[in-house]
Amino acid sequence: SPFDLEVARALFEAGVHAKAKDILRAEARERVGLARKILGLASVPMPSGSPHIWLPMATGAAEQFARRALERGVRVTPPDAVKIGGEKSGGVRLCLMAPQQRSSLERALRILADIRSTPDFEIV
């Protein structure tokens, strides 16, 4: 609508988009650091911030990991969701920016770390 366009124009002219970008980048950087710490990751591809990270593991382990996470109330992107062509990718994607509160992300990451540390789970 014309009103929506006028509001968007005013926000753009006020530089709100640039401020929002900076805030989101800083939050993504904090969340990647939190994931790296809680999950015990030696490195991540984009340590300066990313809306998600990839946990590589064998396809069977990724499917098992996604199922166990869901059973405990945490949704991750399973290998089927990111397959191209006929092959599945080996791993799961964690959407770090999806939870609105950082405390919710921390709780979910602790659950995922617990799943990864169970003796019967193999990352391979």
Side-chain angles (χ1 to χ4, degrees), residues 2 17-18 33 44 50 57 67-68 70 76 81-82 84 99 104-105 121 123:
H17 68 290
V44 291
S50 175
M57 60 186 77
R67 181 182 45 77
R68 287 185 180 188
L70 189 57
V76 299
V82 293
I84 298 173
S104 297
L105 174 65
F121 181 75
I123 295 174

Side-chain angles (χ1 to χ4, degrees), residues 20-43:
K21 176 191 70 158
D22 292 342
I23 290 168
L24 287 172
R25 281 188 177 166
E27 183 63 22
R29 185 173 37 256
E30 290 296 321
R31 288 177 181 228
V32 166
L34 188 64
R36 186 175 176 187
K37 177 183 167 191
I38 291 173
L39 295 174
L41 304 174
S43 66

Side-chain angles (χ1 to χ4, degrees), residues 15-116:
V16 172
H17 68 290
K19 293 174 189 167
K21 176 191 70 158
D22 292 342
I23 290 168
L24 287 172
R25 281 188 177 166
E27 183 63 22
R29 185 173 37 256
E30 290 296 321
R31 288 177 181 228
V32 166
L34 188 64
R36 186 175 176 187
K37 177 183 167 191
I38 291 173
L39 295 174
L41 304 174
S43 66
V44 291
M46 297 177 68
S48 62
S50 175
H52 60 268
I53 60 172
W54 183 257
L55 286 180
M57 60 186 77
T59 301
E63 290 170 346
Q64 178 187 42
F65 185 82
R67 181 182 45 77
R68 287 185 180 188
L70 189 57
E71 288 170 354
R72 294 187 58 187
V74 178
R75 288 186 303 181
V76 299
T77 306
D80 279 346
V82 293
K83 75 177 183 179
I84 298 173
E87 290 194 36
K88 296 179 184 178
S89 299
V92 294
R93 185 177 71 178
L94 307 182
C95 299
L96 302 178
M97 297 297 283
Q100 290 184 356
Q101 303 296 322
R102 201 182 298 172
S103 59
S104 297
L105 174 65
E106 185 173 353
R107 182 190 65 77
L109 290 170
R110 292 198 186 286
I111 289 170
L112 298 178
D114 185 54
I115 293 168
R116 285 176 51 137

